[in-house]
Amino acid sequence: MERALITLLDNGSRLQGPAVAKYVERLRRAHPGESPAQIITRLEKQFLTTITGSGAAAGATAAFPGVGTIAAIGAIGAESVFFLEASALLTLAVASVHGIEPHDHNQRRALVLAIALGDSGKEIVAAATGTSLKNWPKALTGQVGSKQLKLMNNTLVKKFVRKYAARRGALLLGKLVPAGIGAAIGGAGNRTIGKRTIINAREAFGAPPTTWPAEQSALPSRPTSELEA
């Protein structure tokens, strides 16, 4: 499970790393007058809407006649992968708004895992980097040796697997309940876990910057329809 998680996070990080800045930029072009705080709020709302819908859709699989348990579990498993990728994108996008840019997929992996874990994650990073609990995201993306980063990631992965397996395992069983109940459980469960991720990110990054960097302060507007496309 740990190897599968690492592969998933690395694949997502490689795809999302170059795309995150463009994602934030597209939001800013669609809403050129909004502050960093307002853009982060939009990111959070989009994240919650997306994972709530995906959780409900996966849970609804069990309501269809003729769909076996194995097929339903397969659909829910795919949705769990989607949830992790969405969480990674939110974390990296919010980091970008704060001016924090991980240099490689190892740093992105550590940042995503630490945010997902909350207090235990930031304690692991703070201890490994020798910095305060308030400044750990910037310390993580600063000068952290590759060996130190690898050891830290190993600890974060093991901790995350135990915590994630417990949360998602209970939610998976709820999503398998037929008659439409699984859809309700799936949507509500994903939203609850998603809100926890948002809270963890807010606590980790702190208050958003009040203004955009000077070189990015004047982006030409782009039609909202293009963003939605």
Side-chain angles (χ1 to χ4, degrees):
M1 187 173 182
E2 291 177 7
R3 288 195 297 270
L5 174 63
I6 290 173
T7 300
L8 170 63
L9 287 172
D10 285 353
N11 288 342
S13 294
R14 289 190 182 99
L15 290 173
Q16 293 171 359
V20 166
K22 292 183 178 179
Y23 175 45
V24 174
E25 181 182 330
R26 290 175 69 188
L27 270 180
R28 290 189 58 200
R29 289 181 185 277
H31 310 280
E34 293 193 344
S35 66
Q38 290 173 311
I39 292 297
I40 288 177
T41 297
R42 286 190 179 278
L43 290 168
E44 294 171 346
K45 288 181 178 179
Q46 288 184 3
F47 169 66
L48 282 181
T49 298
T50 301
I51 62 170
T52 300
S54 67
T61 303
F64 286 96
V67 176
T69 301
I70 299 300
I73 290 176
I76 293 169
E79 186 274 327
S80 295
V81 170
F82 176 80
F83 181 93
L84 281 175
E85 291 178 341
S87 298
L89 179 58
L90 172 71
T91 298
L92 297 174
V94 173
S96 178
V97 174
H98 280 266
I100 298 175
E101 304 288 347
H103 302 301
D104 55 40
H105 70 276
N106 285 313
Q107 290 185 351
R108 288 192 288 269
R109 181 201 302 173
L111 183 61
V112 169
L113 286 172
I115 293 294
L117 285 169
D119 289 340
S120 58
K122 68 182 180 183
E123 288 171 2
I124 291 172
V125 175
T129 57
T131 188
S132 69
L133 293 178
K134 291 184 178 180
N135 299 321
W136 69 263
K138 288 187 177 181
L140 175 62
T141 55
Q143 296 180 349
V144 180
S146 59
K147 184 177 180 180
Q148 182 185 25
L149 188 58
K150 183 178 180 180
L151 292 174
M152 181 172 59
N153 268 329
N154 288 340
T155 302
L156 288 168
V157 167
K158 291 180 184 297
K159 186 82 172 179
F160 181 81
V161 165
R162 291 194 296 269
K163 188 172 183 178
Y164 183 81
R167 285 185 177 180
R168 298 294 293 187
L171 186 55
L172 184 149
L173 293 177
K175 290 178 181 178
L176 289 174
V177 177
I181 299 175
I185 293 176
N190 270 15
R191 191 172 184 86
T192 298
I193 298 176
K195 285 182 176 180
R196 184 70 256 176
T197 301
I198 289 173
I199 292 173
N200 290 346
R202 289 176 179 175
E203 292 178 348
F205 294 115
T210 55
T211 59
W212 297 100
E215 64 272 14
Q216 299 178 1
S217 59
L219 290 175
S221 61
R222 186 178 296 178
T224 304
S225 58
E226 182 178 340
L227 174 65
E228 294 172 348

